[in-house]
Each structure stands twice: as structure tokens, then as C-alpha cells.
């Protein structure tokens, strides 16, 4: 599989360090609000990469951290007159609801929080100070970027600029304007922890270095996040980790492009954002997932309701085709038809093409196009005359490939009106002593997850 590596600016063949396991670290949300559509992009994209690795037979150690202490968290807590912990607990709970709607795989996903790793963070910083990479000025600990030969290698920043302070805010405490905080001295009203440098709290970048190392090891296979994090966040993570271990931090750095609104990054600070929760009021979040996968992850997306509406139509077409195949499965028989091999060959071609797209730097846009080719093929070539085993194979293929994208897993929704209509039909059948039909309807409803019960007051129903 080829993946674009931001570190080398090239597509490279991906091979995990351990031939059986892939380790992935994704920079997750700061939990001071609901996640917005932009935040959902890395979550969905890298969830698909994880699923694809699992499809290929790898075990995946997958981690998405929660940043639960930083300026934004503190500001929000102050605005609401509550604690940072209360804000974090609330929005982590909301995160899980959105994650479920977006069909993110939570089984086996690790979500460590910064505040639960303060001791590890302090030990990490202590080692950096001991090794001479970091210095303490009156309770603030900074990383000295001149101590690392290749600082700036990820974002290709000019280190001279960072050292001289061009375009950087000037802080008299720092040796170089580009130095960054590992530990911040306590300010009144802020949460703080004891440390060898006095009371304070960790800087933002250090938590990711610490948690990546703790859960995934000194060198991880893939570190991911949005392009907005390349500098300074990821650059600083590299500096911290590589100074400590002397080993490469991540083999691959992957960055998704931004979700924009009128060509500007969707962002909380710009007030141009749509929360995932808002979208869920109008659409099933599977539509948003499908929308985010419809473009290649390195292409910017301009968010609009029209495009989401288009995605809904596309997803509906896939669901319809899947339902048609399910229906055909009930109405076809195994036959010895001549064209069997042709059909099987065609199905194999679709599968190969799908994999080829995914192997080409996770091209989900092309992979989705293959799904549409597949359903176009089955819609126009399959009928009640088709041999059942072919229908089954096409159906299995559609389900298998869709599950890599994490879509099309829902059962057909049955509406209350449909249920009532079927129950009336069954009552009619019973009145006519057509018990065969009545039982058939009862079974049909059961298959759809509806249990009915005949009581003296009439027929009642409930969902299983
Ligand atoms: N508009 C966007 N498009 C794509 N990814 C984004 C966008 N905004 C943030 N991200 C990604 O979301 C993840 C969570 O980031 P983070 O919590 O820092 O965002 P945030 O600070 O809430 O966003 P904002 O920039 O809106 O304040 C990161 O991987 C980040 O790169
Ligand atoms: Zn991070």
C-alpha cells in the first residue's frame, strides 16, 4: 500500500514495523465544545484507514486522544462558572454520541486524556531537562529548539526565522522566540498540579508525545491529524519525542486537508462552523460520513448543505441496490447458467479495483466510484433469472467493501405506518381464516424486528 508521507513529501510503500500490527495515533479533539464537521474529517478518514488495515489482516493499535486541559478548556469553564473537569466530562460524553452516529469504530480504540497522565508528563519533561533539551525559567519549562539539529523537518520551516523571532510573539523568558512551553506555571484560578518546577499544568504538545510513547512505543507507524497541526503541534511532538528517545517518532505522518466554508477553514474561532450534532438533526450521520469520504483526504472540501444533500442521494442509491439484492436473494434459485464465470470475473475485477484505489494513498473517492459501478452492474444485469449463488456473491462483496468504508451497515428502517398497515392486513387474513397468510405476516414483521401480540384488546406490537 502506498501512503503519502508528509515527512518526505512523497507517496511511499507502507510496511508496519511489526509485520502483524499497525500502530496509529490520531490527534483528537479538545473537548470544550461539540465537534464540528472539520473535526469529524480526521476521525472518519483515519477510521477508514484502520478498517482497511484490519481488512488486510493486521491488528491495529488505534488511539485518538482527548485534550482535556488547555486555554480553551479553561476559558470555557470560566465563562460557564464551572470546572474544567465538568466541561471535559460533558463534551467527552457528547463526543461518544457523535462517534456512534458517525459509525466510528470504538471497539478497541484508546482515548487517553491528558489530565490522567500528569505523572508521565512530568517524568518526560524531567528527562528532557536532564538531557539539556529543556530549561526552567521561574516555573515555566521551555523546549530549546536550537538543541535539535533537524527541528523544522516536518513543516519545512526555516529555523533561522524561528530563532530570530520573525513573525513570532516575543517572550522575554525564552532563549529563542521559537521555543515552546512544556510546563506552564500556575495562574490564579487555573487548575494545577505539583511538579519539580512548582505548581502548573502541561503545555499542549507534550501530552501527545507522552501518550503515544506510553501506549504505542517509541516509534509508531502512523501519526495523523489535520494539516493545521503540522506546525507547530506535530513539529514540536517530533522535537520532544526524538530528543528523549533518540529514535524516529513516527514512520509516517499523514495529514487530512481542511473542511472549508467559502474557502476558509471551518473553525470555532471563525464562527463559521457546523457542529456534527446540528447536522444530525437533519441527516443521519452516516450521510456526513459518506460525504467526508467522497473526496480524497488530501483535497480540501468546501462544505455546503447542497453537497451533503447530494451525498444523501448517493447513499440512498447504494442502500436501494443493497435492498434489491436482498430481495433477489429471496426470489432466485441456484442455477447452472453459462455466464457464471463472466459474472464472477466481473465481481473480482470490482474487488481488485476497489483495493487498488485504497492502496493508492487511501483514495476513498475512487473506491466509492467502484461501489457505484458494482451496483450499476447488478442493477442492470441481475434479475429473478440470475443464479442465487451469484446474487449472494455480489451482495457479500457489496457488504464487505462497504464495511471497509464503514457504511451500509444499517437494516432497512421500518416505519410505524408500515407496521400498522401490515397488522391490519394480518387481522383481515385472520378474519378470513387465512392463517397461512397471517403467520407469514407475523414472520415478516419478526424479521424486521417487530414482535406482535394478540390480546383481548386487540393486536399490540413492539420493537425487539
Ligand atoms: N476545518 C477542519 N478541517 C479538517 N480538520 C480539522 C478542521 N479543524 C480542525 N480539524 C482537525 O480536528 C482535530 C481536532 O482538533 P482541535 O481540537 O485542535 O480542533 P479545534 O481547536 O476544536 O478546532 P478549531 O480550529 O475549530 O478551533 C485535529 O486533527 C484538527 O487537525
Ligand atoms: Zn497531538
Amino acid at each position: 500500500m502506498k501512503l503519502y508521507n508528509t515527512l518526505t513529501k512523497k507517496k511511499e510503500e507502507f510496511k508496519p514495523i511489526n509485520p502483524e500490527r499497525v500502530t496509529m495515533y490520531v490527534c483528537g479533539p479538545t473537548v470544550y465544545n461539540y465537534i464540528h464537521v472539520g473535526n469529524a474529517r480526521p476521525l472518519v478518514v483515519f477510521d477508514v484507514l484502520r478498517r482497511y488495515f484490519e481488512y488486510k489482516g493486521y491488528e491495529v493499535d488505534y488511539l485518538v486522544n482527548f485534550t482535556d486541559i488547555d486555554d480553551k478548556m479553561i476559558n470555557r469553564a470560566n465563562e460557564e462558572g464551572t470546572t474544567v473537569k465538568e466541561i471535559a466530562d460533558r463534551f467527552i460524553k457528547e463526543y461518544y454520541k457523535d462517534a456512534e452516529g458517525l459509525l466510528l469504530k470504538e471497539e478497541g480504540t484508546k482515548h487517553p486524556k491528558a489530565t490522567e497522565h500528569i505523572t508521565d508528563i512530568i517524568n518526560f519533561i524531567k528527562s528532557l531537562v536532564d538531557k539539556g533539551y529543556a530549561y526552567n525559567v521561574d516555573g515555566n519549562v521551555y523546549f530549546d529548539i536550537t538543541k535539535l539539529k533537524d527541528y523544522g523537518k516536518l513543516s519545512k520551516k526555516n529555523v533561522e526565522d524561528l530563532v530570530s523571532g520573525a513573525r513570532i510573539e516575543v517572550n522575554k523568558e525564552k532563549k529563542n522566540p521559537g521555543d515552546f512551553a512544556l510546563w506552564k506555571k500556575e495562574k490564579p484560578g487555573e487548575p494545577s498540579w505539583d511538579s519539580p518546577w512548582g505548581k502548573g499544568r502541561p503545555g499542549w504538545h507534550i501530552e501527545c508525545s507522552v501518550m503515544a510513547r506510553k501506549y504505542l512505543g517509541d516509534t509508531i507507524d502512523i501519526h495523523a491529524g489535520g494539516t493545521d497541526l503540522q506546525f507547530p503541534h506535530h513539529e514540536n511532538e517530533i522535537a520532544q519525542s526524538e530528543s528523549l528517545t533518540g529514535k524516529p517518532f513516527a514512520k509516517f505522518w499523514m495529514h487530512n486537508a481542511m473542511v472549508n466554508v467559502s474557502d476558509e477553514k471551518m473553525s470555532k474561532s471563525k464562527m463559521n462552523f457546523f457542529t456534527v450534532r446540528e447536522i444530525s438533526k437533519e441527516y443521519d450521520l452516516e450521510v456526513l460520513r459518506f460525504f467526508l469520504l467522497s473526496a480524497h483526504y488530501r483535497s480540501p472540501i468546501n462544505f455546503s448543505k447542497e453537497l451533503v444533500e447530494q451525498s444523501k442521494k448517493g447513499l440512498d442509491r447504494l442502500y436501494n441496490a443493497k435492498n434489491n439484492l436482498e430481495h433477489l436473494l429471496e426470489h432466485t434459485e441456484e442455477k447452472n447458467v453459462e455466464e457464471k464465470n463472466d459474472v464472477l470475473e466481473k465481481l473480482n475485477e470490482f474487488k481488485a479495483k476497489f483495493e487498488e484505489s485504497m492502496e493508492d494513498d487511501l483514495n476513498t473517492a475512487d473506491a466509492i466510484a467502484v461501489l457505484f459501478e458494482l451496483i450499476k452492474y447488478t442493477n442492470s444485469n441481475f434479475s429473478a433469472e440470475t443464479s442465487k449463488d451469484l446474487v449472494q456473491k455480489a451482495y457479500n462483496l457489496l457488504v464487505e467493501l462497504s464495511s471497509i468504508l464503514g457504511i451500509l451497515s444499517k437494516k432497512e428502517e421500518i416505519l410505524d405506518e408500515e407496521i400498522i398497515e401490515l397488522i391490519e392486513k394480518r387481522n383481515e387474513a385472520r378474519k378470513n381464516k387465512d392463517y397461512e397468510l397471517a403467520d407469514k405476516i407475523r414472520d415478516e414483521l419478526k424479521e424486521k424486528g417487530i414482535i406482535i401480540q394478540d390480546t383481548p384488546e386487540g393486536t399490540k406490537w413492539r420493537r425487539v
Side-chain angles (χ1 to χ4, degrees):
M1 179 177 205
K2 284 218 158 41
L3 293 174
Y4 183 87
N5 190 350
T6 314
L7 201 56
T8 56
K9 302 256 177 291
K10 281 200 299 266
K11 280 189 202 172
E12 290 175 23
E13 189 60 34
F14 175 77
K15 285 231 163 26
I17 301 162
N18 174 336
E20 280 154 31
R21 295 187 89 81
V22 179
T23 48
M24 291 179 72
Y25 188 104
V26 183
C27 287
T30 310
V31 285
Y32 69 108
N33 202 339
Y34 293 96
I35 56 167
H36 60 60
V37 174
N39 301 143
R41 191 173 193 187
L43 298 171
V44 168
V45 162
F46 297 113
D47 174 79
V48 169
L49 182 57
R50 176 234 187 123
R51 285 169 187 256
Y52 189 69
F53 285 138
E54 288 175 345
Y55 165 77
K56 300 236 302 179
Y58 293 111
E59 299 255 357
V60 184
D61 283 327
Y62 189 75
L63 189 158
V64 180
N65 71 300
F66 289 134
T67 298
D68 61 347
I69 175 76
D70 80 343
D71 293 342
K72 296 183 225 174
M73 298 287 305
I74 294 168
N75 292 343
R76 174 93 192 212
N78 288 343
E79 269 163 39
E80 290 198 17
T82 181
T83 60
V84 168
K85 168 120 181 42
E86 195 278 320
I87 297 286
D89 288 347
R90 189 192 323 159
F91 288 109
I92 287 173
K93 223 158 128 198
E94 301 298 351
Y95 172 92
Y96 284 117
K97 289 187 202 157
D98 289 335
E100 191 181 349
L102 288 166
L103 302 166
L104 301 178
K105 191 167 173 179
E106 286 300 321
E107 198 194 324
T109 303
K110 291 191 183 77
H111 286 296
K113 301 175 204 158
T115 58
E116 288 176 357
H117 295 82
I118 300 292
T119 307
D120 297 314
I121 290 174
I122 289 173
N123 289 336
F124 198 113
I125 299 174
K126 231 171 19 192
S127 302
L128 288 176
V129 174
D130 290 347
K131 283 173 169 253
Y133 288 101
Y135 55 96
N136 168 22
V137 186
D138 186 30
N140 284 308
V141 183
Y142 298 102
F143 187 94
D144 182 345
I145 61 167
T146 61
K147 291 278 154 62
L148 198 69
K149 273 193 240 34
D150 52 4
Y151 184 79
K153 69 179 170 186
L154 178 73
S155 52
K156 312 286 184 268
K157 287 271 171 207
N158 182 342
V159 182
E160 268 72 59
D161 277 359
L162 301 173
V163 172
S164 70
R167 295 192 296 274
I168 302 181
E169 105 287 358
V170 179
N171 170 340
K172 289 207 185 75
E173 275 191 350
K174 294 183 188 176
K175 289 189 186 165
N176 313 288
D179 292 354
F180 56 90
L182 298 170
W183 188 259
K184 297 181 171 185
K185 186 180 170 167
E186 179 189 36
K187 287 197 194 119
E190 286 186 2
S192 64
W193 291 264
D194 287 323
S195 85
W197 315 284
K199 275 185 172 297
R201 63 180 167 98
W204 170 33
H205 317 298
I206 192 71
E207 67 179 85
C208 290
S209 284
V210 170
M211 295 190 289
R213 180 166 193 236
K214 173 159 184 169
Y215 294 102
L216 305 175
D218 285 351
T219 303
I220 58 182
D221 288 308
I222 297 176
H223 196 310
T227 46
D228 57 333
L229 298 188
Q230 276 178 41
F231 186 85
H233 185 54
H234 288 163
E235 199 66 74
N236 292 349
E237 282 190 40
I238 293 178
Q240 298 160 157
S241 295
E242 299 194 352
S243 304
L244 185 89
T245 66
K247 297 177 200 163
F249 180 34
K251 280 181 73 179
F252 277 74
W253 284 87
M254 292 181 69
H255 292 101
N256 61 275
M258 293 294 98
V259 173
N260 294 328
V261 178
S262 313
D263 293 317
E264 206 176 15
K265 178 193 166 188
M266 182 184 288
S267 155
K268 283 180 206 118
S269 53
K270 293 202 188 90
M271 297 304 289
N272 63 352
F273 65 96
F274 292 85
T275 63
V276 166
R277 193 58 58 84
E278 260 175 285
I279 305 293
S280 78
K281 305 256 157 39
E282 244 178 287
Y283 295 95
D284 188 313
L285 288 179
E286 186 177 4
V287 172
L288 185 59
R289 180 180 178 98
F290 189 62
F291 164 78
L292 291 168
L293 293 172
S294 304
H296 184 257
Y297 77 93
R298 286 194 294 118
S299 307
I301 300 180
N302 247 326
F303 179 81
S304 74
K305 286 280 175 69
E306 290 75 42
L307 288 177
V308 177
E309 191 58 39
Q310 258 179 40
S311 290
K312 181 183 182 316
K313 294 209 173 97
L315 191 62
D316 283 348
R317 268 166 57 213
L318 289 174
Y319 264 111
N320 281 339
K322 183 183 163 207
N323 291 340
N324 288 344
L325 288 172
E326 273 167 10
H327 184 77
L328 268 187
L329 275 176
E330 284 166 25
H331 296 91
T332 46
E333 289 164 12
E334 206 95 352
K335 282 182 191 158
N336 240 333
V337 284
E338 262 180 44
E339 72 280 4
K340 223 172 223 187
N341 282 336
D342 295 347
V343 177
L344 292 177
E345 205 175 298
K346 198 81 200 155
L347 294 181
N348 282 336
E349 263 174 45
F350 290 130
K351 186 177 165 116
K353 227 169 137 184
F354 183 94
E355 288 182 3
E356 227 173 82
S357 307
M358 296 295 278
E359 306 255 329
D360 181 15
D361 192 26
L362 201 71
N363 196 332
T364 53
D366 282 1
I368 288 172
V370 176
L371 291 187
F372 282 114
E373 281 178 44
L374 167 61
I375 65 159
K376 191 171 162 209
Y377 178 79
T378 57
N379 283 346
S380 48
N381 292 286
F382 284 15
S383 69
E385 300 311 310
T386 309
S387 182
K388 189 187 180 88
D389 61 327
L390 293 177
V391 179
Q392 185 73 58
K393 286 217 161 71
Y395 176 80
N396 292 352
L397 182 64
L398 179 63
V399 170
E400 186 182 31
L401 299 183
S402 302
S403 76
I404 297 171
L405 301 176
I407 56 166
L408 239 54
S409 59
K410 293 191 179 147
K411 289 264 166 276
E412 200 182 350
E413 273 273 331
I414 178 159
L415 303 171
D416 291 7
E417 303 94 82
E418 280 177 71
I419 299 166
I420 291 160
E421 216 174 274
L422 280 169
I423 290 174
E424 270 166 15
K425 223 164 110 187
R426 178 170 167 272
N427 286 342
E428 191 71 20
R430 276 168 25 122
K431 238 200 287 170
N432 298 334
K433 302 215 168 10
D434 188 351
Y435 295 113
E436 208 181 315
L437 178 63
D439 286 347
K440 217 178 128 214
I441 294 173
R442 174 193 283 272
D443 291 344
E444 195 180 327
L445 282 165
K446 199 170 159 203
E447 232 173 73
K448 293 181 170 170
I450 307 299
I451 304 290
I452 53 175
Q453 211 181 359
D454 298 308
T455 71
E457 301 90 55
T459 307
K460 299 212 163 128
W461 65 272
R462 65 179 170 85
R463 292 179 197 269
V464 280

